[in-house]
């Protein structure tokens, strides 16, 4: 199964960065590639949300379930329904020195078209990597500006 991992050092404390990462309902306000995120359920450490994201000119939509660990600053997600056969991974924010943090986005995915997988998976991985980098840069700009 193809995977993508993107990391970014951010010049802000891990707790501040985590607040921006974990507030997915704000993503559409400051991320160009995110059309909408709507939280439909939230109970304790579990959350369900509906996503619409622009990925290389195409709109991908899915419903995901998140498991949030504020102490560890980790949010694990998995697609419940949506455009891909499989989409799951995590966001993690780690301290980096006294005043910085490192944010990691990791995803594994399966497009679901076996005959075209060899051709489509590298294209999808690059698009997901580019999109993740844009999302992390947007988070960095939001956290550093506040």
């Amino acid at each position: 199964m193809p995977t993508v991992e993107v990391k970014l050092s951010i010049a802000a404390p891990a707790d501040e960065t985590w607040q921006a990462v974990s507030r997915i309902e704000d993503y559409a306000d400051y991320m160009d590639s995110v059309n909408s995120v709507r939280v439909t359920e939230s109970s304790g450490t579990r959350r369900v949300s509906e996503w619409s994201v622009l990925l290389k000119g195409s709109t991908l939509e899915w419903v995901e379930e998140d498991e949030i660990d504020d102490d560890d600053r980790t949010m694990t997600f998995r697609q419940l329904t949506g455009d891909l056969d499989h989409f799951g991974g995590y966001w993690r924010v780690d301290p980096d020195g006294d005043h910085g943090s490192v944010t990691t986005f990791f995803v594994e995915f399966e497009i679901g078209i076996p005959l075209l997988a060899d051709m489509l998976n590298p294209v999808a991985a690059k698009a997901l990597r580019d999109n993740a980098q844009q999302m992390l840069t947007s988070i960095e700009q939001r956290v550093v500006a506040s």
Side-chain angles (χ1 to χ4, degrees):
M1 188 171 310
T3 63
V4 171
E5 182 177 59
V6 178
K7 293 183 178 196
L8 183 66
S9 293
I10 298 177
D15 288 337
E16 288 180 28
T17 303
W18 173 245
Q19 288 304 311
V21 168
S22 62
R23 290 192 49 81
I24 61 171
E25 61 272 22
D26 295 341
Y27 283 9
D29 294 341
Y30 65 96
M31 294 181 183
D32 292 338
S33 62
V34 179
N35 297 329
S36 65
V37 178
R38 187 169 75 89
V39 175
T40 58
E41 294 177 42
S42 185
S43 175
T45 61
R46 182 183 173 274
R47 173 175 61 197
V48 176
S49 53
E50 297 173 350
W51 289 70
S52 175
V53 172
L54 189 60
L55 189 67
K56 294 292 185 195
S58 297
T59 299
L60 287 181
E61 296 182 327
W62 69 90
V63 174
E64 78 179 35
E65 177 182 53
D66 303 325
E67 190 64 38
I68 303 159
D69 184 339
D70 288 320
D71 294 333
D72 223 15
R73 290 183 298 272
T74 302
M75 178 172 54
T76 305
F77 61 89
R78 69 180 182 92
Q79 174 184 274
L80 299 175
T81 62
D83 291 337
L84 299 176
D85 256 15
H86 175 81
F87 185 74
Y90 63 85
W91 291 86
R92 187 178 70 240
V93 178
D94 295 306
D96 185 25
D98 291 337
H99 302 290
S101 56
V102 175
T103 302
T104 302
F105 173 80
F106 173 85
V107 65
E108 59 182 12
F109 66 94
E110 192 64 56
I111 292 176
I113 307 172
L115 294 175
L116 298 177
D118 288 344
M119 181 178 68
L120 294 179
N121 283 343
V123 173
K126 182 179 181 338
L128 283 169
R129 180 177 308 287
D130 291 347
N131 191 34
Q133 187 64 51
Q134 290 172 355
M135 292 175 78
L136 287 172
T137 300
S138 295
I139 288 170
E140 176 185 35
Q141 291 169 349
R142 184 169 182 94
V143 171
V144 172
S146 63

